[in-house]
Structure formats: C-alpha cells, structure tokens
C-alpha cells in the first residue's frame, strides 16, 4: 500500500466516477483503475462496486475512508514536522548552564530566542562546567555555558562574558564600606569558595590569588553553587571572591567590593560540538553572539 493509492481511493470515493476522479487527479482512467485494484489487493477487501449505474463504496470501502484520511493526515504532519526540525523551527534543544549565567543575560537571550522559535522546545539543565563537558561529549547536551578554559578538541566556542572578581563580605564587615580593597586586607579571614570538584579552575585560582597576596586562606566552606557562597557570606560565615554578576543576586546582608591589583577574570564560554549539523543549534549560537557579548 502506497500513499498514492490512498489519495486515488479518496478521490474516487468523493467523485464515485472514474472519469471525474481521473480528471481531478490529472491522470487517465486506466492507471486509476489499476491503482484501485492494487489497493484492494493490499487491503484484502473490495472497496468499490462497479456496475452500469456507476461506482459505489462497499461497506468495507466506507469503513476505509476515515482510516485513509487519517493515514494521509499523519503522513503530512510527519513530513511537516521533519521540515520544521530541519529548518530549526521544531524539535528540542538541550542547553546546559552554570548558575551564574542567570545573572549574565541568559534569561533574556532565551526569551528572545523562544519568541522567534515558539514551537522549539528548550530544555534547560543547571550543571557544573565539568558535568556539562561530560554531557556534551556524550551528546546529551546540544550547547553548554561553562566557566573553564579547558575545552576539549572537537568543540566550537564563543567567549560570551568576562567579569572581574569582587570581594563578597558580610554587611557587618569592617571593610564593607570601602571603595576597594586589596587581598592582603583579608588576611586571616575564613574563606567560602565553590567546591574544587564542581569548579576546579576557579577554586584553584582563588586560593592562588590569596597565596600571592601573602596569606594561606582558611577554606571553611566549599559549596556547589556561587549563589550558595553569597548566601553563606551574607550570614556572616566568611568572606568570598565571586564573579561580578553575583551583585545582581541582591541578597540582604552581603556587600560587594572591587578588588585592587587582581587581574584574574571570570570567563564564560558557550560550547557546542563542531560536527553537530542542527539548524536550531546554529540559530541559537547566532542568538548568543547577538545577545550576550555585551555582558560582563
């Protein structure tokens, strides 16, 4: 059974006249008759009766009409869905991100992109940079926003934001009102950092910055999320060095003070596999280039 057979059948069922049906199909009568015979053989039932008074649907033919319409509609919908996916207008896009991206313009770019691709489903997953790299390598993510320079081969990347690190202090801290501070002014303070397992690059950099300033920090808390770091500091349980975007968290009890003589930047990269042939992914990368480069 072919879709052509179904189209011919429905036309004949509508016209109940071989000549008129063939004319509407832009074919001659013999091919129409042959296709109806082939369809009846495939179905295993006579669908039409033919006599001197014309053509009539049999009971089997009447029952087959809605089924034939449904099959053609399903095939048309499947073809339309495939075209939409190929054009980037339908399907799914799996996006990984680290939590600070919520303060670096990601919600805005997602909103604009979704408005231009309303039938494309965006699936968001908050993961650490190392977790995203693992998922990207396994093709479980289409694109990721990571905070690590350790990009494996076979990936394209865009630097979408580069922020300074700030000192995050409890509001009651003696230096909370300072215009800027040096790291040496935090000697002896308890340090709150992101976990080494979650963000090894920035964990190591923060500890190294303190050591370069002449003190070995006492790391008292290692947390999975930067927002948790700020929250703990706001409760007076230590100090931290955090990306500038965390200022937007506006957590009561935490203040952010610029650091002097600290050149380390907190970089965000958008990553995707070089060999991914996906229109929606290409459209999303263009949206990232257009919408995120101004942040940081």
């Amino acid at each position: 059974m072919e879709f052509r057979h179904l189209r011919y059948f429905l036309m004949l069922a509508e016209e109940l006249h071989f000549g008129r049906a063939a004319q509407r199909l832009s074919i001659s009568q013999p091919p129409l008759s042959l296709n109806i015979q082939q369809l009846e053989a495939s179905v295993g039932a006579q669908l039409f009766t033919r006599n001197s008074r014309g053509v009539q649907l049999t009971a089997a033919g009447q029952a087959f009409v809605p089924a034939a319409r449904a099959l053609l509609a399903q095939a048309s919908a499947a073809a339309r869905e495939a075209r939409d996916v190929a054009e980037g207008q339908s399907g799914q896009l799996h996006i990984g991100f680290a939590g600070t991206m919520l303060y670096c313009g990601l919600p805005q770019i997602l909103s604009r992109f979704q408005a231009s691709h309303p039938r494309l489903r965006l699936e968001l997953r908050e993961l650490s940079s190392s977790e995203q790299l693992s998922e990207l390598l396994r093709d479980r993510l289409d694109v990721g926003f990571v905070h690590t320079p350790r990009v494996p081969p076979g990936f394209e990347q865009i630097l979408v934001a580069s922020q300074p690190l700030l000192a995050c202090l409890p509001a009651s801290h003696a230096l909370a009102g300072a215009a800027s501070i040096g790291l040496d002014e935090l000697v002896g303070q308890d340090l709150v950092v992101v976990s080494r397992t979650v963000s090894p690059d920035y964990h190591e950099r923060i500890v190294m910055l303190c050591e370069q300033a002449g003190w070995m920090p006492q790391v008292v808390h290692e947390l999975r999320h930067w927002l948790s770091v700020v929250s703990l500091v706001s409760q007076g349980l230590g100090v931290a060095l955090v990306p500038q975007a965390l200022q937007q968290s506006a957590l009561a009890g935490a203040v952010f003070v610029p650091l002097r003589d600290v050149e380390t930047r907190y970089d965000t990269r958008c990553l995707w596999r070089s060999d991914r042939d996906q229109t929606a992914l290409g459209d999303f990368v263009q949206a990232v280039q257009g919408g995120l480069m101004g942040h940081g």
Side-chain angles (χ1 to χ4, degrees), residues 112-142:
R112 288 193 296 269
F113 183 76
Q114 190 73 87
S116 63
H117 296 71
R119 290 183 292 114
L120 182 68
R121 180 182 173 189
L122 303 182
E123 182 178 303
L124 304 178
R125 296 177 61 192
E126 183 180 1
L127 301 167
S128 70
S129 295
S130 57
E131 289 168 339
Q132 287 185 67
L133 289 175
S134 176
E135 295 295 270
L136 284 163
L137 287 167
R138 297 178 182 180
D139 282 329
R140 294 175 181 170
L141 286 178
D142 297 306

Side-chain angles (χ1 to χ4, degrees), residues 1 3 20 29 44 60 64 89 119 122 129 151 158 182 209 218 222 229 247 249 270 274 296:
M1 184 188 305
F3 291 122
R20 291 194 298 269
Q29 289 190 44
F64 193 61
Q89 294 300 317
R119 290 183 292 114
L122 303 182
S129 295
V151 178
I158 305 171
L209 285 171
Q218 178 66 35
E222 293 192 24
V229 170
Q247 281 183 305
S249 64
C270 177
S274 306

Side-chain angles (χ1 to χ4, degrees), residues 207-215:
V207 172
M208 181 184 69
L209 285 171
C210 294
E211 291 175 350
Q212 289 174 345
W215 60 289

